[in-house]
Amino acid sequence: MTENQSVKVNTDLLCLIVNDGMGSEVIRIAKKNGSSGGTVFYGSGTINNSRLKMFGLDNIRKEIVLMITNDDQSDAILKVLSEKLKLNRPNHGIAFSISLLNVLGRRNSAYDQNAQIGEDDSVMHQAIFVIVERGKAEDVIDAAVEAGSQGGTIISARGSGVNETSRLFGMDIEPEKEIVLILSDKDKVDPIVASISHATEIEKPGNGIIFTIDVKNAKGLF
């Protein structure tokens, strides 16, 4: 093998949802424990509290941190982050990891067209991603809570799907979107997805997309 050849390394995506201002600290701790860095962006968290909702205080600014690590490092990094950030206490944050098939752009990364992720019977949680038009995220959260969810995180985005792009004065206008991320026990995912689908009529073209992903390791759930 030559010096320039790359070897396929199994990787995980680490995702942490923490309070505003904590993203840089998350990356600092992770880099100290073997991570090469990460990306921080903003979202808003929801609290399932009727009194706070009455006064419009149920949405709290959050920071979402994404980091890619080798899978033999991810559990150790999450353990350290959980301890340092006190994720065993309510309202201190949520962390989880997801297995990735392929990653390009990292040092020594290689693409494997035959890569597969095997089924894991030990998976206890799943991440539910819902992409809807701006203003519909609260409907998604309400439907999820009705089906047993504890809430979720809302992220702003924009879309350019075939059923979504409109034109104004001859120019394409890409409508703003909202992404809702919900972490749930695996046995609650089906009823939550069904509730969201019913409330948003998401199966109609242009109304949105739902997808779920197995989560390897989750911290901060109560």
Side-chain angles (χ1 to χ4, degrees):
M1 182 181 299
T2 66
E3 185 177 347
N4 293 328
Q5 285 182 309
S6 299
V7 178
K8 178 71 166 65
V9 176
N10 293 330
T11 52
D12 287 346
L13 174 69
L14 306 188
C15 178
L16 290 94
I17 302 170
V18 294
N19 292 330
D20 189 20
M22 292 297 297
S24 296
E25 177 67 4
V26 168
I27 291 180
R28 185 191 69 79
I29 295 170
K31 289 178 70 174
K32 191 175 180 179
N33 288 274
S35 171
S36 59
T39 300
V40 181
F41 53 98
Y42 293 106
S44 59
T46 61
I47 297 178
N48 187 17
N49 185 305
S50 58
R51 289 187 178 181
L52 289 178
K53 196 165 188 176
M54 184 185 303
F55 293 103
L57 301 175
D58 53 322
N59 286 337
I60 298 178
R61 187 176 170 93
K62 295 288 184 180
E63 290 185 346
I64 299 100
V65 184
L66 299 182
M67 297 177 286
I68 295 175
T69 67
N70 295 348
D71 68 343
D72 58 359
Q73 296 177 306
S74 64
D75 285 351
I77 292 174
L78 277 186
K79 182 179 179 181
V80 172
L81 286 168
S82 179
E83 292 171 352
K84 296 288 187 181
L85 302 175
K86 297 180 173 58
L87 299 186
N88 61 327
R89 299 181 183 178
N91 303 322
H92 278 64
I94 293 173
F96 60 91
S97 61
I98 298 171
S99 294
L100 300 178
L101 273 178
N102 280 298
V103 175
L104 291 178
R106 299 180 76 219
R107 181 177 299 176
N108 297 325
S109 60
Y111 185 85
D112 180 3
Q113 63 181 3
N114 298 315
Q116 293 183 348
I117 297 177
E119 292 187 13
D120 186 352
D121 294 335
S122 66
V123 170
M124 298 178 63
H125 302 92
Q126 287 188 330
I128 304 169
F129 290 84
V130 188
I131 304 173
V132 291
E133 291 183 6
R134 185 176 184 181
K136 298 292 186 180
E138 290 295 341
D139 295 338
V140 171
I141 294 292
D142 289 344
V145 169
E146 286 181 7
S149 170
Q150 296 299 309
T153 301
I154 300 171
I155 306 161
S156 295
R158 64 191 179 107
S160 58
V162 66
N163 293 305
E164 296 148 359
T165 304
S166 58
R167 295 181 67 84
L168 179 65
F169 301 123
M171 297 184 296
D172 288 338
I173 305 298
E174 296 179 347
E176 292 191 5
K177 300 289 184 181
E178 289 176 325
I179 302 170
V180 182
L181 169 56
I182 299 166
L183 202 58
S184 172
D185 293 338
K186 190 173 182 179
D187 60 0
K188 294 181 180 179
V189 168
D190 286 349
I192 290 173
V193 169
S195 181
I196 294 170
S197 178
H198 176 74
T200 61
E201 297 184 316
I202 208 160
E203 294 185 22
K204 293 183 177 180
N207 278 8
I209 294 173
I210 298 179
F211 60 91
T212 63
I213 302 175
D214 285 342
V215 169
K216 289 176 56 177
N217 195 351
K219 306 287 186 183
L221 294 179
F222 296 91

